[in-house]
Amino acid sequence: MSRYLVDRIDADKRIVVRRNTRIVALEGDESLTRVRISDSGGDETLASTAMFSFIGAEPASEWLSGFAALDDRGFVLTDRAIGREHLNGPWKALGRSPLPFETSHPGLFAVGDIRSGSTKRVAAAVGEGSAAVRSVHEYLAFDRHA
């Protein structure tokens, strides 16, 4: 996160920054009403109508290791950034290359900060998410014709 944003957040008394905290559950019927969190002090439920989660500059992608190809820093490789060594098995059977934002696992798409080579800006992530919808539709169309 840019230093000027960190300073502004730290200076705003209305914002509570909770580091090293895990979101356990989001609760509510029609909209968000509570967020359950867990940290070293235990679990806590917070009344909330909005939430912003900033995971940080390090990708939290360990759970994808062995499932989708990652770069040397742990970011998810997508489409043209995926090396040929990761395009065996199911890719040969499909007879196609990965779609935009598709990972080395067919049908799994990655956008935003977790993606290797992304610009790490929210506007870019939103745009990538919108663009990935087209790839998802294309993937689903392939799947129906298989």
Side-chain angles (χ1 to χ4, degrees), residues 102-135:
E102 195 167 17
T103 68
S104 62
H105 185 86
L108 177 65
F109 297 84
V111 299
D113 292 3
I114 194 73
R115 193 177 65 77
S116 180
S118 72
T119 59
K120 313 296 185 253
R121 295 289 183 256
V122 71
V126 170
E128 288 181 6
S130 296
V133 170
R134 184 181 192 301
S135 292

Side-chain angles (χ1 to χ4, degrees), residues 12-26:
D12 193 321
K13 300 300 180 213
R14 299 170 296 173
I15 299 174
V16 176
V17 176
R18 295 180 179 261
R19 292 176 174 85
N20 302 312
T21 302
R22 187 169 53 97
I23 298 167
V24 178
L26 302 176

Side-chain angles (χ1 to χ4, degrees), residues 54-70:
F54 183 80
I55 295 171
E58 299 297 321
S61 60
E62 301 82 27
W63 63 280
L64 285 169
S65 183
F67 189 70
L70 307 176

Side-chain angles (χ1 to χ4, degrees), residues 68-142:
L70 307 176
D71 69 13
D72 59 343
R73 293 176 35 220
F75 291 94
V76 180
L77 295 169
T78 58
D79 49 74
R80 290 181 289 178
I82 302 170
R84 289 175 139 326
E85 69 275 14
H86 299 292
L87 297 178
N88 297 317
W91 290 105
K92 290 190 188 268
L94 288 171
R96 68 173 178 86
S97 297
L99 297 166
F101 305 106
E102 195 167 17
T103 68
S104 62
H105 185 86
L108 177 65
F109 297 84
V111 299
D113 292 3
I114 194 73
R115 193 177 65 77
S116 180
S118 72
T119 59
K120 313 296 185 253
R121 295 289 183 256
V122 71
V126 170
E128 288 181 6
S130 296
V133 170
R134 184 181 192 301
S135 292
V136 170
H137 284 284
E138 193 171 341
Y139 171 79
L140 293 172
F142 283 139

